[in-house]
């Protein structure tokens, strides 16, 4: 077996161990065994959360958007690509982008927000942008079997502005 096959097999074995032991109580031997790997696993985007399987699953779904204000007072609306709106092949390649979106929205990783704002300023540099407001849109998640809204209700929260006032 060559060196790359050994590395791949080792990574797969490590991930299977982490996935199997992830939900164990932190004071169990499995929880203690996985604890040193937590930051690395989340950095790789492989972390598991079990909220969707909880007795009370999320009732609200949120999405990231931005409003870029130009020097002449105009605005450009930018929305994060939604996995549900993409073709299967595109959606599969965008799974890490979904994790990045969640990280931008998370207060524990708020250091990502200026980088996203600067990216949007560069993306629209031809329109002379002067400000970026990152916005959190949310809508209710319909109960299983209930036909729900196909558009986002605009319950906005501007949670970051760049440059900061």
């Amino acid at each position: 077996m060559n060196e790359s096959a050994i590395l791949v097999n080792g990574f797969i074995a490590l991930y299977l161990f982490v996935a199997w032991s992830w939900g164990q109580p932190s004071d169990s031997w499995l929880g203690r065994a996985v604890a040193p790997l937590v930051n690395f696993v989340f950095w790789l985007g492989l972390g598991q959360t079990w909220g969707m399987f909880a007795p009370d699953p999320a009732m609200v779904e949120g999405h990231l958007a931005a409003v870029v204000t130009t020097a002449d007072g105009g605005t450009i609306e930018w929305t994060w690509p939604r996995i549900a709106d993409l073709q299967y092949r595109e959606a599969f390649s965008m799974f890490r982008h979904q994790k990045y979106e969640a990280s931008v929205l998370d207060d524990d990783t708020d250091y990502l927000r200026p980088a996203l704002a600067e990216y949007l300023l560069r993306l629209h540099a031809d329109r002379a942008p002067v400000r970026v407001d990152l916005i959190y849109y949310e809508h209710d998640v319909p109960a299983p079997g209930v036909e729900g809204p196909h558009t986002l209700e605009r319950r906005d929260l501007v949670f970051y502005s760049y440059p900061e006032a």
Side-chain angles (χ1 to χ4, degrees), residues 60-66 78 80 97-113 116 133-138 155-160:
V60 175
E61 183 178 23
H63 302 283
L64 178 64
W78 175 86
W80 192 266
H97 294 264
Q98 187 175 10
K99 183 69 174 175
Y100 181 76
E101 176 188 21
S103 297
V104 168
L105 293 169
D106 188 347
D107 287 335
D108 291 337
T109 51
D110 61 352
Y111 54 84
L112 297 171
R113 296 170 185 172
L116 176 59
D133 291 319
L134 297 181
I135 299 172
Y136 176 71
Y137 289 96
E138 65 179 28
R155 292 185 293 209
D156 307 355
L157 168 65
V158 175
F159 65 92
Y160 181 77

Side-chain angles (χ1 to χ4, degrees), residues 41-145:
V41 169
F42 275 114
W43 179 80
L44 287 174
L46 301 174
Q48 301 290 326
T49 58
W50 302 106
M52 67 184 285
F53 302 110
D56 291 322
M59 300 303 291
V60 175
E61 183 178 23
H63 302 283
L64 178 64
V67 174
V68 180
T69 305
T70 60
D72 64 4
T75 59
I76 304 164
E77 290 200 25
W78 175 86
T79 56
W80 192 266
R82 296 191 57 214
I83 299 295
D85 297 335
L86 300 173
Q87 296 295 326
Y88 178 75
R89 179 179 227 119
E90 291 174 294
F92 183 76
S93 66
M94 293 279 295
F95 80 98
R96 287 187 64 100
H97 294 264
Q98 187 175 10
K99 183 69 174 175
Y100 181 76
E101 176 188 21
S103 297
V104 168
L105 293 169
D106 188 347
D107 287 335
D108 291 337
T109 51
D110 61 352
Y111 54 84
L112 297 171
R113 296 170 185 172
L116 176 59
E118 290 171 1
Y119 163 76
L120 293 171
L121 290 173
R122 286 191 311 274
L123 183 66
H124 300 290
D126 60 325
R127 301 268 313 268
V130 295
R131 180 181 174 88
V132 175
D133 291 319
L134 297 181
I135 299 172
Y136 176 71
Y137 289 96
E138 65 179 28
H139 66 91
D140 296 326
V141 175

